[in-house]
């Protein structure tokens, strides 16, 4: 019993009364966040940034909205009008919101529950173990936390993550259960992403809709990212990000998140909070689809706000191979220069190295100087 209580953040002393074989457990007080041996050392590492709290910055408290919700079972309806209405909802959400949620998406509850269980299990490994170079047989840069280049509170991400290329899964021999679970999640998430991508591309009038994604997005070119947002003792200030504002460098992202909340979007020039729905998956448009659609579909800037409650999510990033050509389509003059995904990644990495953040699609505008 004592180890169960300790796991939930309480110090426990056990005493045995005289002539008794039973133990009494005294719960003394909650342990501080930093005492969890699986938490990254945020407070120690960023102690020079945290005093910035309370200096008059605007808090992240914003109005909460529900994302457009789309029932994908209607795509299989024998009723043509129902199918077309569902397609219209997908296109409209991608064009106006850049984010939407889907139900009856084809990924089973069992797969999602197993993914959540395995994710928690791996993140609750000791921090010293997670930072080892060969942890789980993954690439050395797969595990990441915080922001090593942060020079201000606005650049700090109160989170840890495993960012894994699909081709790396074959080397995860130390944790075959996690590997198997991730493979099942990725296989079904890829099918969902491909279906949505083809619907959106068909709406653009792309001639090669039926083969473009099949040819350019092989299974091993995509990524899975498991995210954990540890409890943040500064969350009441509403000034600490779990993940700093960004856009996704892919075609589409498929996100499974828990009930905690914290996701916010920049819509129409202001930040809004997304009401969590653990029974739905979140879909968001990435930079590559915004470029491919010539700006029709929106890759929206988003962030996650740190909370006092532990939060988990897992994302599947639907990406092409590095030599895939991204070229704006449509009748209007192209807004973006033609580029390959490899060129886009290299430019983003250079910008992050030089200025601490990616400039993204703005770099590839035809009008960019």
């Amino acid at each position: 019993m004592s180890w169960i209580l300790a796991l939930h953040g309480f110090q426990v002393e056990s005493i045995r009364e005289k002539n008794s074989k039973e133990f009494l457990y005294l719960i003394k007080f909650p342990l501080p966040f930093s005492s969890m041996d699986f938490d990254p050392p945020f407070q120690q590492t960023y102690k020079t940034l945290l005093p910035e709290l309370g200096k008059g910055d605007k808090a992240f408290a914003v109005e909460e909205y529900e994302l457009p919700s789309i029932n994908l079972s209607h795509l299989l309806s024998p009723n043509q009008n129902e199918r077309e209405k569902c397609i219209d909802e997908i296109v409209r959400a991608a064009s106006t919101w850049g984010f939407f949620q889907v139900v009856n998406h084809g990924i089973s509850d069992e797969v999602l529950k197993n993914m959540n269980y395995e994710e928690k299990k791996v993140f609750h490994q000791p921090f010293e173990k997670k930072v080892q170079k060969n942890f789980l047989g993954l690439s050395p840069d797969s595990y990441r936390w915080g922001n090593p280049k942060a020079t201000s509170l606005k650049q700090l991400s109160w989170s840890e993550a495993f960012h894994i290329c699909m081709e790396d899964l074959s080397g995860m021999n130390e944790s075959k259960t996690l590997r198997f679970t991730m493979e099942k999640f990725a296989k079904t998430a890829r099918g969902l992403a491909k279906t949505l991508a083809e619907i959106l591309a068909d709406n653009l009038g792309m001639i090669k809709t039926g083969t473009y994604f099949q040819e350019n997005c092989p299974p091993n070119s995509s990524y899975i990212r498991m995210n954990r947002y540890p409890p943040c003792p500064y969350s009441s200030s509403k000034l600490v990000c779990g993940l700093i504002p960004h856009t996704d460098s892919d075609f589409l992202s498929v996100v499974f998140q828990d009930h905690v909340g914290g996701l916010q979007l920049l819509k129409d020039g202001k930040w809004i909070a997304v009401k969590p729905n653990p029974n739905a998956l979140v879909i968001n448009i990435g930079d590559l689809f915004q470029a491919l659609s010539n700006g029709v579909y929106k890759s929206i800037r988003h962030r996650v706000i740190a909370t006092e409650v532990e939060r988990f999510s897992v994302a599947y990033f639907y990406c092409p191979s590095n030599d895939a050509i991204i070229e704006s389509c449509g009748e209007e003059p192209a807004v973006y220069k033609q580029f390959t995904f490899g060129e886009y990644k290299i430019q983003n990495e250079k910008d992050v190295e030089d200025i601490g953040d990616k400039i993204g699609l703005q770099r590839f505008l035809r009008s960019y100087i």
Side-chain angles (χ1 to χ4, degrees), residues 133-301:
K133 287 186 177 180
N134 295 320
F135 183 59
L136 300 179
L138 295 170
S139 301
D141 61 346
S142 295
Y143 177 70
R144 52 197 68 178
W145 66 277
N147 180 1
K149 297 184 180 295
T151 58
S152 70
L153 192 62
K154 293 179 181 179
Q155 296 176 330
L156 172 60
S157 290
W158 198 279
S159 61
E160 57 178 333
F162 286 95
H163 193 82
I164 305 169
C165 182
M166 292 305 303
E167 64 182 1
D168 285 349
L169 291 185
S170 59
M172 293 179 61
N173 295 322
E174 295 178 28
S175 183
K176 293 183 179 180
T177 305
L178 175 61
R179 170 186 167 183
F180 176 73
T181 302
M182 293 177 72
E183 285 174 342
K184 290 200 73 172
F185 173 76
K187 181 179 180 180
T188 48
R190 179 176 184 270
L192 172 59
K194 183 172 181 289
T195 296
L196 294 172
E198 290 178 347
I199 287 172
L200 292 170
D202 187 60
N203 178 68
L204 299 173
M206 290 179 62
I207 297 175
K208 294 181 66 178
T209 295
T211 60
Y212 179 85
F213 294 103
Q214 185 68 33
E215 293 173 355
N216 289 287
C217 299
N220 286 347
S221 64
S222 293
Y223 293 80
I224 282 184
R225 182 182 176 103
M226 297 185 292
N227 299 297
R228 174 180 176 259
Y229 302 89
C232 177
Y234 307 99
S235 60
S236 60
S237 69
K238 304 295 183 184
L239 289 169
V240 181
C241 277
L243 198 59
I244 59 176
H246 66 285
T247 57
D248 290 352
S249 301
D250 60 359
F251 281 119
L252 289 170
S253 303
V254 178
V255 183
F256 170 52
Q257 60 177 352
D258 59 24
H259 65 283
V260 174
L263 176 63
Q264 295 186 354
L265 320 179
L266 186 62
K267 179 169 171 54
D268 301 327
K270 68 176 184 177
W271 288 100
I272 63 170
V274 173
K275 185 176 182 180
N277 180 357
N279 297 316
L281 296 179
V282 173
I283 309 295
N284 66 278
I285 302 298
D287 296 344
L288 303 187
F289 231 136
Q290 178 166 320
L292 190 72
S293 69
N294 208 26
V296 173
Y297 304 136
K298 312 300 182 187
S299 180
I300 299 297
R301 202 162 175 81

